[in-house]
Amino acid sequence: MGNLLKVLTCTDLEQEPNFFLDFENAQPTEAEREVWEKVDLVLKDARGILDELQAYKGAGQEIREAIQNPNDEALQKVAWVAVVPLVGKLKKFYQFSQRLEAALHSLLGALTSETYDNPTQNLEREQALAKQFAEILHFTLRFDELKTEGEKEVNNELANRISLFYADATPMLKTLSDGTTKFVSENKNLPIENTTDCLSTMASVCKVMLETPEYRSRFTSEETVSFCLRVMVGVIILYDYVHPVGAFSKSSKIDMKGCIKVLRDQPPNSVEGLLNALRYTTKHLNDESTNKTIKSMLQQQ
């Protein structure tokens, strides 16, 4: 435990780290099990959601033909038949985002609780919940990478909310960002540092595991590297929304230069989507207080 605290609180960024968060094999303890089982149900459905999104095909052609030929009843029927199932699918995706937000709140409640001395201990001792938190972030960024445009015109309140959901370029990420902000505002008795420290610790752990050959060699699958990269970017974005001055300020507990370097060290074009997520979905990147070197590192192609 002392080694972990030493790594995450030291100011010497070149100091050799000594912490590994087992994203591949962490299993719940009895203390974690109640929350873990609740979140596990959501994560099992998340896999199916990604499969459906990958297989998703819009009805743009049918709709264009129907609009161009308003008096052709056959084309109107074809368009209607094509659109109705898609609206149902979009509704399903939106409703799942609400379940995901609820799961996020459960995990944040556990990982930021004052059961232990600090959130860092929570992450270390509740690795199965930390893994689930990572899986939610991984799903979120993967969903937004796969997201396609859909037709959403239905005359009811839910449909309007669905439309707002899909109008955002990264709808699932926005759901989590808003959900994390909501968690903080609804738990005013909990110091905001509990949440921001949890997020910055997760970012630091991911960075350390990715940049340290000894730890990276423990991954049994290359997919774990992609997983770790998405989680690192995801917690940076959440931190940037929740922390009063964001992830890019001098007072940030996230080593942004180090995190961006880790991304840049990956194979060309493999992390462009993640770099774009930092460029375009963070809240404070363009603040005057943001270090020019960080902006320059993100602007490089």
Side-chain angles (χ1 to χ4, degrees):
M1 182 62 213
N3 286 333
L4 170 59
L5 291 176
K6 189 175 181 182
V7 168
L8 295 176
T9 58
C10 74
T11 56
D12 181 5
L13 296 176
E14 295 182 358
Q15 179 172 334
E16 197 67 19
N18 190 18
F19 177 60
F20 185 82
L21 204 165
D22 194 350
F23 284 140
E24 294 181 331
N25 303 303
Q27 295 298 316
T29 62
E30 281 306 308
E32 296 173 273
R33 189 164 297 281
E34 183 179 353
V35 173
W36 186 91
E37 289 181 347
K38 186 190 306 182
V39 176
D40 187 55
L41 293 174
V42 178
L43 288 172
K44 284 178 178 176
D45 289 342
R47 300 180 190 108
I49 292 289
L50 286 182
D51 290 341
E52 286 191 48
L53 185 57
Q54 282 183 300
Y56 179 91
K57 293 182 179 179
Q61 182 62 32
E62 293 89 343
I63 292 172
R64 280 191 295 273
E65 290 185 0
I67 291 174
Q68 291 168 3
N69 301 277
N71 297 320
D72 189 324
E73 292 186 8
L75 289 177
Q76 304 306 308
K77 184 176 181 180
V78 168
W80 179 254
V81 170
V83 165
V84 170
L86 297 183
V87 172
K89 195 176 292 289
L90 294 172
K91 176 182 175 182
K92 180 179 179 179
F93 292 164
Y94 168 75
Q95 290 177 330
F96 181 77
S97 77
Q98 305 307 292
R99 293 178 59 203
L100 199 71
E101 181 180 350
L104 174 74
H105 280 211
S106 296
L107 289 171
L108 285 175
L111 294 172
T112 63
S113 74
E114 298 183 325
T115 304
Y116 302 109
D117 291 340
N118 55 60
T120 298
Q121 289 186 9
N122 287 26
L123 282 176
E124 184 183 19
R125 298 184 185 185
E126 299 181 335
Q127 289 215 8
L129 297 185
K131 178 175 180 287
Q132 286 186 318
F133 181 41
E135 287 173 346
I136 284 180
L137 289 164
H138 177 266
F139 164 83
T140 297
L141 287 168
R142 185 65 183 134
F143 180 96
D144 288 342
E145 287 171 3
L146 293 171
K147 193 260 292 184
T148 57
E149 289 300 319
E151 292 71 38
K152 308 166 284 294
E153 294 184 10
V154 188
N155 285 326
N156 58 46
E157 180 184 355
L158 176 60
N160 290 332
R161 290 164 63 191
I162 294 172
S163 295
L164 290 173
F165 173 69
Y166 281 98
D168 195 274
T170 53
M172 283 292 178
L173 189 56
K174 187 176 190 304
T175 296
L176 285 202
S177 299
D178 291 347
T180 306
T181 303
K182 183 179 178 182
F183 173 82
V184 170
S185 66
E186 289 180 349
N187 292 273
K188 296 187 185 300
N189 60 325
L190 193 70
I192 190 173
E193 290 78 17
N194 284 29
T195 301
T196 55
D197 284 356
C198 173
L199 297 172
S200 62
T201 299
M202 184 77 85
S204 298
V205 167
C206 288
K207 181 183 78 73
V208 163
M209 291 196 298
L210 287 162
E211 68 185 3
T212 308
E214 176 192 348
Y215 293 151
R216 189 156 170 165
S217 66
R218 296 188 195 180
F219 297 156
T220 60
S221 168
E222 260 312 296
E223 290 182 4
T224 306
V225 174
S226 298
F227 179 92
C228 220
L229 289 165
R230 283 198 182 97
V231 173
M232 182 181 73
V233 170
V235 289
I236 288 171
I237 293 170
L238 294 189
Y239 183 98
D240 193 55
Y241 269 83
V242 175
H243 195 281
V245 294
F248 303 96
S249 70
K250 289 184 179 180
S251 60
S252 170
K253 290 188 177 181
I254 297 178
D255 173 17
M256 285 304 307
K257 291 180 183 177
C259 290
I260 295 170
K261 183 179 184 302
V262 166
L263 288 167
R264 290 282 182 197
D265 286 343
Q266 306 310 308
N269 302 321
S270 67
V271 293
E272 195 60 26
L274 296 179
L275 288 168
N276 282 337
L278 292 177
R279 290 171 184 137
Y280 305 123
T281 65
T282 46
K283 184 178 181 181
H284 293 282
L285 175 61
N286 293 316
D287 289 1
E288 291 184 7
S289 59
T290 297
N291 186 293
K292 291 182 179 179
T293 302
I294 291 176
K295 288 184 178 180
S296 177
M297 289 175 73
L298 280 176
Q299 288 169 355
Q300 294 172 11
Q301 295 298 323

